[in-house]
């Protein structure tokens, strides 16, 4: 479902400035649309070279005032995915020895990848395929939805254009992932000056089969995501919320998560990340604040 949000976010290009009651139309302003797509892919690619702090709050139901559990992690790209190192509630290591051990483990993984990438061929190919699938899914959204202008709204010193998102009846899904598109609807907010998606909010309008039809996401499930300009010209996700109900095999499940992302910091590809981690391990105080963080 996170992939679904990403794909929908990529298709947030405005189609036409018309009243909400007006006719639904297909892609327009192709140059602007291509710019939105390119920006979304740029943000995706940045996650491979930027670390961040991630705070995930889990609730039993969306209406619970306080989370049942909170998990805070330092998320660092490893070249074949993401490594999550647990932090305390204050966003700092709660156990210095355990934290150092996690960093040492990451350094070993990066060392192998940098010095002998051939030994990690399977992991690299799997990660490359995952990224390719994401990119193709983003491109497929070009024709999957119709948009109609709703209103302009202010967020800080920026003006966002809000569009209603609906299924394009002419769209024919070609994969099990794109088959999800006809079963969702919602709204998107676009910063038209930068060509960046600022917010997306959607609902599941029909049950969605998952896991080779062994499970379902039920109609009425809800998701949203917000993005901000953390660094000049670089927009990244700042908040996401998922409220899903469904079943897996013969058991029901309920997922209610809110995630906050902050402290984006460039750490680079594996060779640069390895140097940065080794430098950090060489410092006497591992809980010393990281320099150069980008906070929202």
């Amino acid at each position: 479902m996170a992939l679904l949000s990403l794909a929908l976010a990529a298709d947030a290009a405005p189609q036409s400035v018309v009243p909400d009651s007006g006719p639904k139309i297909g892609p327009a302003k192709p140059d602007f649309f291509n710019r939105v797509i390119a920006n979304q892919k740029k943000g995706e690619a940045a996650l491979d070279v930027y670390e961040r702090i991630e705070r995930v709050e889990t609730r039993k139901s969306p209406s619970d005032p306080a989370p049942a559990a909170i998990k805070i992690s330092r998320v660092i790209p490893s070249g074949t995915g993401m490594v999550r190192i647990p932090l305390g509630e204050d966003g700092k290591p709660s156990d210095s020895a355990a934290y150092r051990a996690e960093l040492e483990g990451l350094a070993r993984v990066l060392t192998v990848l940098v010095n002998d990438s051939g030994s990690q061929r399977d992991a690299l190919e799997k990660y490359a395929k995952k990224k390719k699938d994401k990119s193709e899914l983003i491109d497929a959204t070009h024709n999957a939805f119709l948009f109609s202008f709703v209103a302009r709204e202010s967020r800080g010193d920026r003006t966002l254009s809000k569009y209603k998102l609906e299924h394009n009846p002419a769209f024919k899904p070609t994969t099990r992932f794109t088959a999800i598109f006809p079963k969702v609807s919602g709204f998107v907010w676009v910063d038209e000056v930068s060509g960046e998606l600022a917010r997306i909010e959607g609902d599941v309008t029909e049950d969605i089969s998952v896991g080779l039809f062994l499970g379902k996401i039920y109609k009425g499930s809800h998701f949203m995501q917000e993005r901000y300009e953390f660094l000049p010209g670089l927009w990244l996700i700042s908040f996401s919320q998922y409220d899903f109900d469904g079943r897996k095999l013969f058991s029901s499940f309920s997922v209610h998560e809110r995630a906050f992302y902050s402290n984006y910091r460039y750490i680079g590809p594996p060779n640069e990340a390895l140097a940065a981690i080794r430098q950090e391990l060489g410092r006497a105080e591992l809980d010393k604040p990281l320099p150069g963080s980008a906070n929202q």
Side-chain angles (χ1 to χ4, degrees):
M1 297 309 294
L3 189 60
L4 169 63
S5 295
L6 171 67
L8 295 181
D11 199 30
Q15 310 302 311
S16 178
V17 180
V18 298
D20 185 43
S21 58
K24 307 301 183 292
I25 60 177
K29 299 183 179 180
D31 291 342
F32 186 83
F33 173 81
N34 292 334
R35 183 183 175 197
V36 174
I37 286 286
N39 285 338
Q40 190 67 21
K41 290 184 176 182
K42 177 183 176 182
E44 240 334 83
L47 298 181
D48 282 336
V49 292
Y50 279 83
E51 64 167 287
R52 65 184 184 268
I53 300 297
E54 183 178 278
R55 174 189 174 95
V56 178
E57 299 180 354
T58 304
R59 286 170 167 77
K60 293 182 179 179
S61 74
S63 59
D64 288 347
I70 297 175
K71 182 182 293 185
I72 302 175
S73 306
R74 180 181 174 189
V75 183
I76 306 174
S78 66
T80 57
M82 300 292 165
V83 171
R84 285 173 166 78
I85 301 179
L87 299 175
E89 291 191 8
D90 59 356
K92 297 180 180 180
S94 55
D95 184 329
S96 294
Y99 187 69
R100 176 180 285 276
E102 293 277 4
L103 287 180
E104 289 173 343
L106 174 58
R108 288 192 293 271
V109 169
L110 290 170
T111 298
V112 172
L113 188 62
V114 170
N115 295 333
D116 185 15
S117 60
S119 66
Q120 302 299 305
R121 185 181 62 184
D122 289 346
L124 287 167
E125 289 179 352
K126 183 177 180 181
Y127 191 55
K129 184 180 185 305
K130 181 179 179 181
K131 293 195 293 183
K132 181 175 180 290
D133 289 344
K134 277 188 178 184
S135 180
E136 291 177 351
L137 187 62
I138 290 173
D139 290 333
T141 60
H142 190 164
N143 297 313
F145 297 97
L146 301 177
F147 295 77
S148 53
F149 179 78
V150 176
R152 287 189 171 87
E153 300 179 359
S154 296
R155 187 174 76 173
D157 60 351
R158 293 183 179 273
T159 299
L160 308 180
S161 295
K162 179 180 179 181
Y163 293 86
K164 186 176 182 180
L165 173 155
E166 293 180 298
H167 167 56
N168 180 1
F171 175 72
K172 304 299 181 183
T174 56
T175 69
R176 63 189 180 96
F177 288 119
T178 56
I180 293 173
F181 293 154
K183 300 179 180 181
V184 296
S185 65
F187 296 90
V188 292
W189 288 257
V190 181
D191 180 351
E192 294 195 35
V193 173
S194 64
E196 294 278 3
L197 175 93
R199 177 186 173 110
I200 178 169
E201 190 164 351
D203 296 286
V204 176
T205 57
E206 298 179 39
D207 290 354
I208 297 174
S209 296
V210 294
L212 298 177
F213 305 102
L214 297 177
K216 281 188 176 181
I217 300 293
Y218 290 150
K219 173 182 177 180
S221 294
H222 179 81
F223 61 90
M224 69 89 67
Q225 184 185 100
E226 289 190 332
R227 298 171 74 246
Y228 280 85
E229 188 178 31
F230 279 91
L231 295 166
L234 182 61
W235 289 58
L236 298 168
I237 181 174
S238 61
F239 174 77
S240 65
Q241 180 173 342
Y242 300 97
D243 293 299
F244 297 138
D245 292 293
R247 68 170 176 82
K248 183 178 180 182
L249 293 176
F250 303 107
S251 301
S252 61
F253 68 83
S254 186
V255 177
H256 304 287
E257 287 187 355
R258 298 177 188 178
F260 303 83
Y261 309 88
S262 63
N263 293 76
Y264 283 96
R265 185 177 76 105
Y266 179 82
I267 195 168
N271 61 326
E272 294 181 32
L274 176 59
I277 295 300
R278 284 175 170 170
Q279 183 179 17
E280 184 173 352
L281 284 168
R283 295 204 309 264
E285 298 179 11
L286 286 178
D287 60 347
K288 183 178 180 181
L290 296 173
S293 296
N295 293 289
Q296 179 61 44

